[in-house]
Amino acid sequence: MSSGQWTAILAMGSIFLICFIALIGIIRRNYHRYRMVADTATSKIRSAPQGYVELIGQASACPGQTYQHAPFSNLECLWFFVEKERKEVTKDADGKKTVEWKTIFSQRSDAPFQLVDSTGHCCVHPAGADVTPAIFRRVNSTYDTISSHEMLGGQSIGYSHRYRYSESLIVAGDPLYALGEFKTHVDQRTGEQRHDMLKPAYREQPFVVSSKGEQKLLKSYLKRIWLYCFGFVLFAAGFAMVIFIATHPGP
């Protein structure tokens, strides 16, 4: 085998190693979150200990807080993430087309909102959280702008779908799951307690917020794990085939 072939194999091996490490990291992270969500017992707000806890309740606005409006649909909400993408089509030297969606605008809300259960309420500060909302819309469009009516309709607009608009929301009344650092503050003057949930200081303690409910959240983590494992197997098989062909040239 020529030195050029060995160089190509080494280059492909380096790419495979980088992808292998990245996939293992993603699979490990999702499995760790799955285990933390599955293994952490649910606490009630009134009796929750200080520290890392799991709470389940309903989403509502914090006292004195006004509702936000989602940028695309203009719906009242407590949390949103929106993304606008543009289709980029490129050609290589052989004229083969490659289609890629490039993000040209994104915005995420980090304003606090409440989790309310039968014993009290806790203000959730979603900055830094892995948020999994139940409400998700995506619309393909020919046009550079989109109206709230078109976003709510959920139908593709036009013929040449050059743009893609995505919106995820948490709204008042949604079931709410939260796993994070629970802290209670006492007003020295009135004795009134205020509960907050924040991103934990330790990296091994994931900060998770979801309006899907605990069981659906667990299923979504398992789905991600299996998809990435399947992708890894396919990638490894493709790499092994390339190596075999390179090291076993025909007659």
Side-chain angles (χ1 to χ4, degrees):
M1 191 159 45
S2 68
S3 60
Q5 288 176 309
W6 277 114
T7 302
I9 291 174
L10 288 174
M12 287 187 292
S14 300
I15 294 172
F16 174 78
L17 181 62
I18 293 170
C19 293
F20 172 80
I21 294 171
L23 281 170
I24 290 298
I26 293 170
I27 293 168
R28 179 186 176 279
R29 183 167 64 251
N30 279 281
Y31 180 74
H32 178 64
R33 289 177 179 172
Y34 172 83
R35 291 284 10 137
M36 294 298 286
V37 171
D39 296 343
T40 304
T42 305
S43 299
K44 291 294 186 180
I45 292 172
R46 182 185 297 168
S47 57
Q50 302 299 288
Y52 195 63
V53 302
E54 173 185 282
L55 300 175
I56 295 177
Q58 275 194 328
S60 72
C62 292
Q65 179 189 19
T66 57
Y67 287 102
Q68 302 180 79
H69 287 82
F72 293 158
S73 67
N74 201 37
L75 286 177
E76 285 190 345
C77 63
L78 302 172
W79 180 92
F80 67 79
F81 174 75
V82 296
E83 186 176 44
K84 177 182 177 181
E85 300 167 281
R86 183 175 61 223
K87 185 192 293 185
E88 303 282 351
V89 181
T90 57
K91 290 184 179 180
D92 60 18
D94 298 325
K96 183 179 179 181
K97 289 184 178 180
T98 301
V99 177
E100 180 183 3
W101 287 96
K102 180 180 179 182
T103 300
I104 57 176
F105 170 78
S106 66
Q107 185 179 356
R108 170 180 161 140
S109 161
D110 283 327
F113 49 86
Q114 276 194 145
L115 184 152
V116 181
D117 69 11
S118 59
T119 67
H121 51 81
C122 172
C123 195
V124 178
H125 301 260
D130 176 16
V131 182
T132 307
I135 300 174
F136 174 78
R137 295 182 183 87
R138 173 171 286 166
V139 174
N140 292 322
S141 176
T142 305
Y143 309 108
D144 188 38
T145 59
I146 190 169
S147 69
S148 58
H149 176 74
E150 290 168 337
M151 190 69 206
L152 290 171
Q155 301 295 321
S156 296
I157 304 161
Y159 298 98
S160 175
H161 298 150
R162 190 181 176 192
Y163 295 95
R164 186 162 69 184
Y165 299 85
S166 304
E167 184 173 88
S168 302
L169 305 176
I170 294 177
V171 301
D174 275 353
L176 193 62
Y177 173 94
L179 177 66
E181 186 76 14
F182 182 79
K183 292 185 178 181
T184 300
H185 307 274
V186 180
D187 189 310
Q188 298 300 322
R189 185 173 57 85
T190 64
E192 185 178 348
Q193 292 185 339
R194 189 187 82 240
H195 307 293
D196 293 284
M197 180 165 282
L198 307 155
K199 182 180 180 180
Y202 300 102
R203 292 185 61 185
E204 291 302 307
Q205 294 179 330
F207 185 21
V208 179
V209 177
S210 175
S211 58
K212 283 188 171 184
E214 184 175 8
Q215 293 306 312
K216 288 185 178 180
L217 179 63
L218 288 171
K219 287 180 181 179
S220 70
Y221 281 132
L222 278 178
K223 183 178 179 181
R224 291 183 208 173
I225 292 167
W226 283 112
L227 282 175
Y228 281 116
C229 286
F230 182 67
F232 172 76
V233 170
L234 287 180
F235 186 78
F239 178 75
M241 184 178 295
V242 170
I243 296 298
F244 178 82
I245 292 172
T247 54
H248 295 77

